[in-house]
Amino acid sequence: MKKIPDANMLKCMKCNICYNSCPRKAISVISNSSCAKCIKYCISFIVPCHPEYISFDYSKCDSCGECIEKCPNGAIYWSDPETVRLKKIERQ
């Protein structure tokens, strides 16, 4: 089974190294604008209301592993597609 990258947002420090290193431009940076009550605190605290910061476009990703290799915090790791799919469903 093919492995794909996934991310642990609690480890992500929003450095954008993965975004800048992806040769296929398969990583998008998500701006959290959905929580008006806590937006002023989002700069300094980890706010669990919408923790995603990066998103993978798996139609572009060729699983080269460049993002995993470059992430200085170990936030990106290999996962299987079914686990990633179930994780997305849980967030909805």
Side-chain angles (χ1 to χ4, degrees):
M1 177 183 284
K2 179 182 175 180
K3 296 288 185 181
I4 57 175
D6 196 8
N8 178 341
M9 290 300 115
L10 295 176
K11 288 185 175 181
C12 178
M13 300 311 289
K14 301 170 179 65
C15 65
N16 292 335
I17 292 173
C18 62
Y19 173 80
N20 293 323
S21 68
C22 181
R24 309 236 340 152
K25 303 297 180 213
I27 300 174
S28 300
V29 174
I30 299 171
S31 176
N32 185 356
S33 60
S34 63
C35 40
K37 290 182 183 177
C38 61
I39 197 76
K40 68 181 180 180
Y41 303 108
C42 286
I43 295 167
S44 9
F45 301 110
I46 295 174
V47 181
C49 60
H50 193 325
E52 294 84 11
Y53 180 72
I54 61 170
S55 177
F56 297 94
D57 182 344
Y58 295 113
S59 67
K60 293 180 181 178
C61 178
D62 65 356
S63 296
C64 70
E66 194 71 25
C67 56
I68 294 171
E69 216 174 277
K70 300 282 182 173
C71 181
N73 303 305
I76 304 174
Y77 58 92
W78 290 116
S79 188
D80 63 272
E82 184 62 13
T83 301
V84 172
R85 187 184 74 76
L86 291 173
K87 194 167 114 179
K88 280 187 177 185
I89 290 171
E90 286 176 7
R91 279 191 234 138
Q92 294 175 351

